[in-house]
Amino acid sequence: MVPAIRPVLALAVVILSATSHAGDTWILRTDLWHSPAFSTLIAHPDKVRLEGSLDGDAITGKADGRELVFDSTDGQGRVSRYRLRRTKDDVTGTADLPDPNDGNRRVTHAVTGWKLPERTGGPRLWDYRPDSYSNTWDADRKPVLVVWPGDTIHTTTLDSGGVDATGVTRALFGNPQTGPFFVAGAVPGDTLVVHIRRLRLDRDYADSLDTIVGRALGASLVPDAGHLGKPVRWILDREKGLARPENASGALRDYVVPVKPMLGGLAVAPGFGMPPISTGDTSRFGGNMDFNEVIEGNTVYLPVQQPGALLYVGDAHALQGDGETSQYALETSMDVTVTVDLIHGRPISMPRVESPERIMVLGQAGSLDDALKAASTGMIQWLRNDYGMTLSQAAQVMGSAIHYDVANLAGRSVGVAAKLDKRLLPLPHVRENRAE
């Protein structure tokens, strides 16, 4: 676990355009009764005067030496007062805020923060070699790297058991993730765009089980299935792109399948008020989606719920059938390259995936019924918002052309993917608000 530096994220982005501190950006964390709150602060000091906004609300104050003192007034007229002391790379101080349950009472909370580095030049390639991993999707974890829209990240992941490319255990089992990566400029209400540029196997084996998950198992098979659950080692021929069970015999003696590397885990941090969530779970922020279309050449869209988005990647599979019915897919480590981008002010309600041929929406819920409803609703929202369709028009497209896949049956929640061929659709009319 990485120690929580200057407790990250209660993110307030402070842009100090003073003479000696022009363009500084700080990430603030406000401790609300031991729960971190994250916000975006833009501050423009002019000599000693300080102006700007806090999550869009106007601020006024002063910059006095190393101190920043300012008030923020929200749309309901409630005033929050901040007093921060700045060092080279950190800020500490307090926020005097209205009690949300008592309009006549105020409460003082601790504030900490760290300075975001300035961007130099245009988009760049970052080579990040992880030395720690996370077993939770966590908004309060120190970012391992700050990147900007248009930047490309090259990194590596562990397998679901915490084992690296050399066969050494580096983290606790349970889908440990690489990250999070802080995407500068991302704020709640944006959409994070993750272009999967390259996924490469980086070792010669994968591990799975010979089991069948309960959701896919008929009652007549339950007695025999009680003997299942044994580990299966798969040999990966990286040169030929093939996988086969090790020491296979009988009907599987000649069984060979082409690999299709994918990321089982891809997520941003959950929203305000959410505790750290296990990397075995899913939600609208993504998570342990185990969707076998999260592959090289495709693009994943995730709803930003915290400043910086905080992107996590992991749980790589050499191959996975629909549903991950064996509980574990062909679990392995991976060499990963992704490019990040932002769509500002265009929120989405759940993960989307786009391939050269299809648009796909992943619905995730506790039952297949609810997951299918979520996937259908998400696809209709996409057709209405980006393709200009009425609900009637979207219904006609769905009725004539929708495809559904069972994406995941192995987790505490299940996933259903709704898919449409792009060749059947008009050109999308919403592509503005891309980050430069």
Side-chain angles (χ1 to χ4, degrees), residues 58-302:
I59 67 165
T60 57
K62 63 180 181 178
D64 184 7
R66 291 190 176 276
E67 276 201 325
L68 301 174
V69 181
F70 58 90
D71 292 352
S72 169
T73 305
D74 67 16
Q76 297 178 322
R78 295 173 300 193
V79 178
S80 300
R81 301 186 176 98
Y82 289 78
R83 181 179 292 272
L84 306 176
R85 182 163 182 81
R86 177 181 58 206
T87 61
K88 180 181 178 182
D89 295 316
D90 303 271
V91 290
T92 58
T94 58
D96 175 32
L97 308 178
D99 186 324
N101 299 302
D102 183 349
N104 297 315
R105 181 172 179 264
R106 300 186 67 83
V107 185
T108 299
H109 304 279
V111 178
T112 54
W114 53 276
K115 186 166 77 171
L116 209 63
E118 294 183 15
R119 184 173 196 171
T120 55
R124 60 171 290 186
L125 170 65
W126 300 88
D127 188 38
Y128 172 69
R129 298 297 172 179
D131 57 8
S132 65
Y133 303 87
S134 179
N135 281 76
T136 57
W137 319 109
D138 187 355
D140 203 22
R141 181 178 168 87
K142 174 188 173 182
V144 298
L145 188 66
V146 176
V147 300
W148 282 262
D151 285 357
T152 297
I153 304 162
H154 173 234
T155 190
T156 58
T157 68
L158 305 177
D159 69 15
S160 63
V163 179
D164 70 8
T166 67
V168 175
T169 301
R170 300 292 184 186
L172 183 68
F173 60 87
N175 305 320
Q177 300 290 305
T178 301
F181 299 95
F182 184 99
V183 183
V187 296
D190 291 346
T191 294
L192 180 67
V193 184
V194 184
H195 304 284
I196 303 176
R197 301 299 188 194
R198 188 174 184 270
L199 297 179
R200 290 293 184 273
L201 305 176
D202 60 4
R203 71 186 197 203
D204 296 326
Y205 71 94
D207 290 312
S208 187
L209 297 175
D210 71 348
T211 194
I212 302 170
V213 297
R215 291 187 178 100
L217 191 66
S220 63
L221 296 176
V222 170
D224 288 343
H227 302 290
L228 299 179
K230 296 182 291 297
V232 177
R233 173 64 54 91
W234 292 75
I235 303 303
L236 305 178
D237 186 333
R238 288 187 280 172
E239 184 177 344
K240 295 181 180 178
L242 300 173
R244 60 178 176 83
E246 185 179 49
N247 301 321
S249 60
L252 291 187
R253 181 179 54 197
D254 299 318
Y255 185 71
V256 179
V257 285
V259 299
K260 184 182 177 183
M262 57 167 281
L263 290 174
L266 191 69
V268 293
F272 173 69
M274 297 290 289
I277 295 174
S278 166
T279 48
D281 288 330
T282 62
S283 185
R284 62 182 299 262
F285 59 80
N288 184 39
M289 299 183 289
D290 288 326
F291 181 31
N292 58 17
E293 291 289 350
V294 183
I295 58 173
E296 180 177 312
N298 287 359
T299 297
V300 180
Y301 301 88
L302 298 170

Side-chain angles (χ1 to χ4, degrees), residues 312-372:
Y312 291 86
V313 298
D315 185 28
H317 301 164
L319 182 66
Q320 179 199 298
D322 290 348
E324 197 178 20
T325 56
S326 54
Q327 189 66 49
Y328 298 164
L330 272 61
E331 312 282 343
T332 191
S333 55
M334 196 80 74
D335 186 275
V336 176
T337 303
V338 299
T339 299
V340 296
D341 201 352
L342 288 173
I343 303 175
H344 289 306
R346 300 286 307 177
I348 58 176
S349 58
M350 63 197 71
R352 297 175 176 179
V353 180
E354 185 172 3
S355 73
E357 299 83 20
R358 288 178 291 277
I359 59 171
M360 297 166 266
V361 176
L362 186 61
Q364 301 176 115
S367 70
L368 284 171
D369 280 355
D370 287 342
L372 187 139

